[in-house]
Amino acid sequence: MDIQTLGQLVLSGLTIGCVYSLVGLGFALTLRATELINFAQGEMVMLGSFIGLTLLTTTGLPYAAVFVLVAIAVGLVGVLLERTILRPILDRRAPLLNLLIATLGLSIALQALAIIVWGREPVAYPRLFSDEPVMVLGLRVQALNLWILGLGLGVMAALHWFFQHTMTGVSWRAASLDPATAALFGVNRRRNVALTFAISAAVGGAAGVLIAPLFFASFGIGHSVIVKAFAAGAIGGFGIVGTMLGGLALGVIETLAAGIVSSDYKNVITYSALLVILMVFYRPTARAGRSITEGAKVVASDVVDLMSGDRRRAALLVAGGAALWLAFLLLADTYALRITNMALIAAIAVLGLQLVVGYTGQFSFGHAAFYGVGAYASTLLTMKLGVPFVLAVPLAGATAALAGLLVAPVLRLSGHFLAIATLAMGEIVQLLMLNWKWLTNGAYGIYGIPLPSFAGWELESEEGFFVLISGVLALVYLLLRRLTRSRFGRSLVAVRENELAAMSSGIRADRQKITAFVVGSACAGVAGALYAHYIAYISPESFSFLASVQMVTMVVIGGLGSLPGGIVGALAVALLPEMLRALADYRLVVYGGLLILFMMFLPGGLADIGRRAWRLAARVRA
C-alpha cells in the first residue's frame, strides 16, 4: 500500500471519526453528569438527519446554517425530554438500569414518531457540493468530506473552549467530579443536568447532519453509530478531550482495518482493539464500596417468596397456577400459543440474565451472544453430527457456559466499562456468526433445523412446544431458585450491594461473579437451543445488540433481583406489542411511552405490584 492510499484511508477515518466523537461526547457528558447511559442519543442523531433534510429541501439555506439550526433545535428537544421525562425518574433516585430503560422507551417512541412523520424508507440528501474532488496535501478529497471534517472539528474545539474557559463550563466540570462539594459552592445540579442534556442532544443532532449526506436520512441511522460512539467514549475514559480523540482514533482504526485487512472483519478488529484498551487501561485499582447512606442498586431487595412458609398456601398456589396453565393450553388459539412460546423461551434466557444483573449487579449487554451460541451449537450438533435433541440442548447450554467462561475476564471491569466490554463482546460474536460462512452459512442463516423428537416421536404442534418449553422453564426456575436462596445466592447479593464489605467478610467476589456469569450464559444457551428447534431457522440477525437490550428490559420491567419478576417481565415485554397491534403505526409510540411510565411509577418493576399486594394482604390478616 502506497503513502497516498494510506493518507486517503486516514482522512476517511477522521471524517467518520468526527461523527463518532460528537455522538460519543453526548454519552460522555450524560455519564459524567448523571451516570446514565442514554440510549435515546441515537434518536438525536436521527432527528438531526431528518430536520436537516427538511430544512435543506424547503428553505434553501446553506449547509453550514442548517448545521447550526439543527444543533439548536435538537438541543431544545433534549432539554424538553429531560424536564418532562428523565428528571422525575432522576429525582426518585431510581437504579441506573431503570433510567436506562426509560431512555430506551424514549428511543422506541421517537423512532416510531419519525416513521409516522417521514416514512420508513431511507431518503437521500440533496447534492450539497460539487462531485469534483479537491486536492489537499496531494490527496484527492471530496468537498463534502472537508465540510464534515471542518464542522466536526470546529464543534469539538468550541466545546473544549467552553468547558475550559467559561464559568459555566468550569462549574459543570467541578460538579461532574464532586457534586456534593460543588453544591456547597452554589453550583445548581438541576441546571447542570439540563445543560448536559441540551449539549448532548445538540451534538447528536449535529452529527446527524454530518453523517446523513454520506448515507441516507433514515429512522435507523442513529443505531448505526451509537455502539461505536459509546466505544469512542470508553476509549477516551468518558472524558471530554479523551472522547474526541477516541472517536477520531476509532474511525481511523475502522478504515485502516477495512483497507488493509478486510471490510468483513473491520468491525471485529475495531471491537477487539476496544476490548484490549479497556482491559489494559481501565482495570480498577481498588474495589468499590458503598456508604450505608447510599441507595441500593436494586429498588427493593426483600423479594416476597410466596412459595415459602405455609405449606397449605404453597400447595394452593401451585394448584392454581397449574389450573391456569392447563386452561390456557386448552383455550388459546395457535397464534396466542406461538407468541407465548416465544416469550417463554425468552424468559429462560432472562432468568440467567437476572442472576447476572439483578443478583450480582453487573451491567451486561451481550447476553444475546450466548443465546446465539446455544442456538448454533444445538443446530450444528443435530444437523452435522446427528446428536439427538435431548442431548443437544444440554450440550448447547454447556457450550454457552464455556463461551461465558472464556469471556469472563471482562468481569474485572465494572460499571459502564463492563457494559461497553460486554456490548463489544456481543458484537464480535454476532460478526463472527455473520462472517464464518463455512460454519454458520453467514447472513443466509441455517434452514431446516429438525424439530424436537423423543424416541422417534416428533414434536410438531404448538401445544406440544408449550408443554416442552414450560417444562424447561420450570426446571431452570427451580434450579435458580435453589441456587439464589443458598449461601451462594446470598453472597451474590452481598457483592451487589457492597463489594468491598463482601470481600471483608471472606467472600471471593471475582469467583462469585464469574460463576453467576457462567450459569447465566448456560441458561441463555439452553433458551437459544429451544429457539432454534422451535423456529427451525436461525441467522445472526436474531442475536444482535438490540436483542440483548430487550433482555435487559425484561429484567428491569419484571423487577431486579426477582426470579418470578424475570418471567413476568419477559411475558410483558414480548406480549405487550402484540396487544397494541390494533394501534397500527402508533403501536410503538404507546409501547415506548408505557416503558417510560413503568420506570416513573414502578421503579421496582412488576415485582413491586406483588410486593405491595402481599404486604396489604398481610396487614389485612393482622
Side-chain angles (χ1 to χ4, degrees):
M1 178 180 293
D2 57 34
I3 296 296
Q4 187 173 14
T5 304
L6 182 63
Q8 294 283 167
L9 288 174
V10 170
L11 189 62
S12 297
L14 291 174
T15 301
I16 193 66
C18 278
V19 175
Y20 296 157
S21 293
L22 289 177
V23 183
L25 277 170
F27 281 122
L29 293 173
T30 52
L31 271 173
R32 290 185 60 178
T34 64
E35 298 186 0
L36 168 66
I37 301 173
N38 182 11
F39 273 118
Q41 184 69 8
E43 275 48 58
M44 300 302 103
V45 178
M46 175 203 68
L47 283 177
S49 69
F50 277 122
I51 294 173
L53 174 67
T54 303
L55 289 175
L56 285 169
T57 54
T58 59
T59 64
L61 290 170
Y63 184 54
V66 168
F67 177 81
V68 173
L69 289 175
V70 166
I72 294 171
V74 180
L76 292 174
V77 171
V79 173
L80 178 64
L81 295 177
E82 186 273 334
R83 288 289 179 94
T84 58
I85 295 173
L86 297 176
R87 179 174 292 185
I89 303 175
L90 282 167
D91 289 344
R92 289 171 183 261
R93 299 185 181 276
L96 290 177
L97 276 175
N98 293 57
L99 282 163
L100 184 149
I101 299 305
T103 64
L104 178 64
L106 268 177
S107 171
I108 293 170
L110 290 173
Q111 215 177 101
L113 285 172
I115 291 172
I116 293 169
V117 175
W118 288 287
R120 290 183 176 275
E121 296 301 318
V123 183
Y125 260 51
R127 192 174 72 171
L128 300 170
F129 307 102
S130 171
D131 292 334
E132 189 67 26
V134 179
M135 296 299 296
V136 178
L137 301 176
L139 302 176
R140 298 168 64 87
V141 186
Q142 294 291 330
L144 175 61
N145 286 12
L146 286 177
W147 273 94
I148 292 172
L149 198 58
L151 290 172
L153 293 175
V155 169
M156 285 187 267
L159 283 174
H160 178 66
W161 180 87
F162 171 77
F163 284 110
Q164 292 292 328
H165 300 288
T166 67
M167 184 59 70
T168 303
V170 171
S171 66
W172 184 94
R173 287 194 295 121
S176 70
L177 291 172
D178 191 342
T181 304
L184 292 176
F185 284 89
V187 176
N188 188 314
R189 182 179 182 273
R190 287 195 169 196
R191 189 177 62 189
N192 258 24
V193 171
L195 175 67
T196 299
F197 278 92
I199 296 176
S200 63
V203 294
V209 180
L210 295 182
I211 193 173
L214 294 175
F215 304 101
F216 297 94
S218 71
F219 70 90
I221 193 171
H223 286 288
S224 67
V225 298
I226 60 168
V227 174
K228 291 177 182 174
F230 194 24
I235 289 173
F238 295 109
I240 296 170
V241 176
T243 300
M244 295 176 188
L245 297 177
L248 296 173
L250 198 67
V252 172
I253 292 171
E254 180 182 323
T255 54
L256 288 178
I260 298 174
V261 182
S262 166
S263 59
D264 289 339
Y265 287 92
K266 67 175 184 179
N267 287 330
V268 174
I269 295 170
T270 302
Y271 292 126
S272 298
L274 169 64
L275 283 176
V276 170
I277 291 170
L278 289 175
M279 294 299 291
V280 172
F281 294 104
Y282 297 107
R283 187 173 174 179
T285 56
R287 299 291 177 179
R290 179 173 66 83
S291 165
I292 59 173
T293 61
E294 205 177 319
K297 294 180 183 177
V298 173
V299 170
S301 57
D302 54 332
V303 178
V304 175
D305 188 356
L306 300 179
M307 301 301 293
S308 64
D310 189 348
R311 291 185 179 181
R312 181 181 177 185
R313 183 188 69 208
L316 287 173
L317 286 170
V318 171
L324 288 174
W325 179 86
L326 183 61
F328 181 80
L329 176 63
L330 296 175
L331 299 176
D333 58 19
T334 301
Y335 177 74
L337 279 170
R338 187 164 186 82
I339 298 300
T340 305
N341 285 339
M342 291 294 295
L344 293 177
I345 290 173
I348 297 172
V350 168
L351 285 178
L353 186 60
Q354 183 71 273
L355 193 67
V356 178
V357 177
Y359 279 87
T360 318
Q362 303 299 302
F363 283 9
S364 178
F365 291 106
H367 204 61
F370 306 110
Y371 188 57
V373 167
Y376 275 100
S378 185
T379 297
L380 295 172
L381 285 170
T382 53
M383 295 185 71
K384 302 292 185 182
L385 301 178
V387 176
F389 171 80
V390 291
L391 290 178
V393 172
L395 286 174
T399 304
L402 178 60
L405 184 62
L406 290 175
V407 302
V410 302
L411 296 176
R412 297 173 185 173
L413 302 168
S414 61
H416 303 105
F417 292 113
L418 177 60
I420 189 61
T422 55
L423 187 157
M425 175 271 300
E427 290 290 304
I428 290 171
V429 171
Q430 190 197 14
L431 289 166
L432 292 177
M433 291 176 184
L434 190 64
N435 291 314
W436 285 357
K437 299 179 178 65
W438 56 273
L439 183 66
T440 65
N441 204 30
Y444 294 103
I446 300 176
Y447 294 86
I449 301 171
L451 295 170
S453 60
F454 304 91
W457 175 65
E458 194 172 73
L459 191 64
E460 295 181 344
S461 67
E462 294 294 340
E463 292 81 2
F465 271 107
F466 181 71
V467 174
L468 171 65
I469 297 166
S470 299
V472 175
L473 175 61
L475 179 62
V476 171
Y477 172 80
L478 291 173
L479 290 173
L480 291 183
R481 180 177 180 272
R482 181 72 178 269
L483 188 67
T484 54
R485 292 179 64 81
S486 68
R487 182 177 180 181
F488 171 76
R490 292 191 293 273
S491 72
L492 292 183
V493 174
V495 170
R496 177 191 72 199
E497 290 302 303
N498 194 318
E499 187 171 337
L500 186 61
M503 292 180 66
S504 300
S505 302
I507 296 172
R508 298 179 61 180
D510 288 343
R511 183 176 177 179
Q512 304 302 81
K513 288 190 286 187
I514 290 173
T515 303
F517 194 75
V518 170
V519 173
S521 301
C523 294
V526 169
L530 291 174
Y531 171 81
H533 291 281
Y534 179 57
I535 299 297
Y537 166 74
I538 54 173
S539 71
E541 186 180 354
S542 301
F543 313 113
S544 65
F545 165 64
L546 293 179
S548 294
V549 172
Q550 186 178 47
M551 291 179 186
V552 174
T553 305
M554 292 172 176
V555 169
V556 178
I557 291 294
L560 288 165
S562 168
L563 291 178
I567 298 173
V568 175
L571 290 169
V573 173
L575 299 179
L576 189 57
E578 299 301 322
M579 297 176 184
L580 299 174
R581 192 169 289 277
L583 298 176
D585 290 342
Y586 292 91
R587 172 174 62 106
L588 291 179
V589 178
V590 175
Y591 175 64
L594 288 174
L595 287 182
I596 296 168
L597 291 174
F598 265 118
M599 295 302 96
M600 279 185 175
F601 300 108
L602 281 175
L606 292 171
D608 255 2
I609 298 176
R611 293 186 186 104
R612 293 171 185 176
W614 181 250
R615 289 168 189 149
L616 179 62
R619 282 198 295 269
V620 170
R621 287 199 303 270

